[in-house]
Amino acid sequence: MRQSVRHWPATPLAKRLGLQWPILLAPMAGTSTPELAAGVAAAGGLGSLGCATQPVDVSHRQIAAFRQISNGGLNVNFFCHERPADIVARSQAARERLAPFYAEAGIGTPPEAAEPFVPFGADHLALVEEFRPDVVSFHFGLPAQDLLNRVRATGATIFCTATTVAEARHLEGQGVDAIVAQGIEAGGHRGVFLDTPLSQHSGLMALLPQIVDAVDVPVIAAGGIADGRGIAAAMMLGAQAVQIGTAFLRCPEAATPAPHRDRLRDAGEGATRLTRLFSGRPARSVVNRLMRELDDSEAEAAPYPAQISLVAPLAKAVAEADRPDVSSIWAGQAVGLGRDMPAAQLTERLAAEADTLMRPANTETDR
Ligand SMILES: Cc1cc2nc3c(=O)[nH]c(=O)nc-3n(C[C@H](O)[C@H](O)[C@H](O)COP(=O)(O)O)c2cc1C
């Protein structure tokens, strides 16, 4: 799609990042690939790589691969969770609850809990300093000030997720360049880092304009946006860009496992819910057997990210039997609007849909 008339005004953030469209691929740890990021960038959006949960050498290869196949913009994303203490003692209840699943899968008993990855630190910073991505983004809060200053010194534009107005104000005070307002609809982990109870978290329609009113930095809308209608609505509510995750999960370039794609295709409204069962932190997944059967044990989950070390071996064993019964299938509430389409084509389609919807409000620009 290269329209001669464009009805969608470029936002300051899109201009700063050199984007044709203010459409950002959400960083998705475990699911992002260089090809997915390059597809979005080729269509004029921002590519991204979720680097939080994988070894640094894998991230190194992925960023290098992106640079080989694209000269577009890239967002490299990391987590800033607090490292858990007393993992072993605080994981006993979760091990007991998972034991019947291990027995059924024939893989013995759950292992002692461990820390499968660490938050943003010196090794991640070295990646950023080597590759100097256009954007560096953080989830679960920000790193320590000295690390953040080093990231800023690379020239990166810095994003961080906020799930409440209080978090957005805090991030603005820390000097972030843009805030990702994550509504409760969003797939994957809530980026929460202050202690507002989840039951008080807002949908994007309510959250976004209140964050826009509360801060002076650009705000990026995330959560439940899957087509031009969602994009146009977010822009009307004051967003300078949209960040979209779930809608890209069925692109052939995404690392979404085949059985998960099938579940995503079948999932409609109401198919997802928030759970701590896969990682220890609240995240939105398509409901599956583990979530149904351990519904009453949310509070017993091991602290983040130790719970992952308990669920991952089980998920792997069961996935090898092609059954996504016990692995997370991160997805947002708009999962039913998903499409099977290559990333560049989907990005162009999203841009065209939004552009068409913005036309009536901008008829005087029709020339
Ligand atoms: C599969 C998946 C993985 C995700 N992983 C990350 C991540 O690694 N880092 C991050 O900041 N956000 C992550 N998110 C959340 C997204 O940044 C974003 O908030 C969300 O996708 C927006 O809602 P939507 O999925 O309805 O589009 C993930 C989302 C999904 C669906």
Side-chain angles (χ1 to χ4, degrees):
M1 189 213 68
R2 290 288 179 270
Q3 292 177 325
S4 53
V5 178
R6 175 186 167 126
H7 303 276
W8 188 354
T11 64
L13 182 65
K15 282 188 193 153
R16 172 173 177 164
L17 297 174
L19 304 176
Q20 186 185 359
W21 305 111
I23 297 178
L24 319 182
L25 171 65
M28 295 189 277
T31 309
S32 309
T33 63
E35 294 75 20
L36 185 66
V40 174
L46 182 72
S48 76
L49 289 169
C51 294
T53 61
Q54 62 197 15
V56 171
D57 63 312
V58 173
S59 300
H60 192 280
R61 280 200 297 279
Q62 287 192 343
I63 302 171
F66 174 84
R67 287 274 163 84
Q68 288 263 312
I69 58 177
S70 174
N71 54 14
L74 182 66
N75 166 14
V76 176
N77 175 263
F78 303 97
F79 290 171
C80 295
H81 57 280
E82 261 176 47
R83 295 184 70 176
D86 304 325
I87 291 178
V88 173
R90 291 168 66 201
S91 303
Q92 287 314 325
R95 288 178 75 197
E96 282 164 30
R97 295 304 301 259
L98 288 167
F101 287 85
Y102 270 70
E104 185 189 292
I107 54 167
T109 54
E112 200 150 89
E115 198 179 0
F117 51 83
V118 293
F120 184 80
D123 293 348
H124 303 105
L125 177 65
L127 265 186
V128 169
E129 289 182 332
E130 178 180 345
F131 286 103
R132 296 176 171 264
D134 310 73
V135 175
V136 175
S137 66
F138 298 103
H139 210 48
F140 309 141
L142 289 167
Q145 199 63 51
D146 55 329
L147 289 174
L148 190 61
N149 290 343
R150 298 262 306 262
V151 172
R152 192 173 287 118
T154 68
T157 297
I158 297 173
F159 296 172
C160 187
T161 306
T163 61
T164 61
V165 170
E167 288 181 351
R169 286 205 175 104
H170 174 91
L171 294 175
E172 183 178 44
Q174 298 296 305
V176 302
D177 297 304
I179 289 167
V180 179
Q182 190 190 37
I184 196 83
E185 308 91 330
H189 281 92
R190 309 270 320 125
V192 59
F193 60 92
L194 297 180
D195 53 9
T196 309
L198 267 190
S199 57
Q200 288 170 238
H201 282 209
S202 302
L204 187 66
M205 180 73 91
L207 179 69
L208 177 58
Q210 295 188 73
I211 290 186
V212 168
D213 285 351
V215 299
D216 290 328
V217 292
V219 181
I220 297 158
I225 300 172
D227 61 20
R229 293 171 295 185
I231 296 172
M235 303 309 282
M236 292 298 155
L237 291 171
Q240 289 208 16
V242 294
Q243 178 162 297
I244 300 179
T246 302
F248 284 99
L249 291 174
R250 284 165 51 192
C251 294
E253 302 95 328
T256 312
H260 289 206
R261 284 177 196 269
D262 293 343
R263 289 287 166 98
L264 293 170
R265 275 187 203 104
D266 292 345
E269 187 271 328
T272 68
R273 76 172 162 79
L274 290 169
T275 179
R276 287 188 171 81
L277 285 171
F278 296 114
S279 71
R281 265 182 172 267
R284 185 173 294 283
S285 170
V286 175
V287 176
N288 65 5
R289 186 180 155 215
L290 187 98
M291 290 167 70
R292 278 193 298 272
E293 294 188 10
L294 293 187
D295 198 21
D296 61 339
S297 71
E298 288 272 328
E300 292 165 278
Y304 184 89
Q307 178 79 0
I308 295 172
S309 72
L310 301 180
V311 177
L314 180 65
K316 184 167 180 287
V318 176
E320 276 159 13
D322 257 10
R323 295 196 326 264
D325 291 354
V326 298
S327 55
S328 54
I329 310 170
W330 303 140
Q333 289 181 332
V335 62
L337 297 174
R339 299 174 247 200
D340 291 281
M341 208 180 268
Q345 202 181 324
L346 178 57
T347 307
E348 287 178 358
R349 183 73 65 87
L350 291 168
E353 288 171 354
D355 202 50
T356 302
L357 286 169
M358 290 192 211
R359 184 168 303 173
N362 292 293
T363 41
E364 71 279 7
T365 64
D366 261 308
R367 295 187 286 266

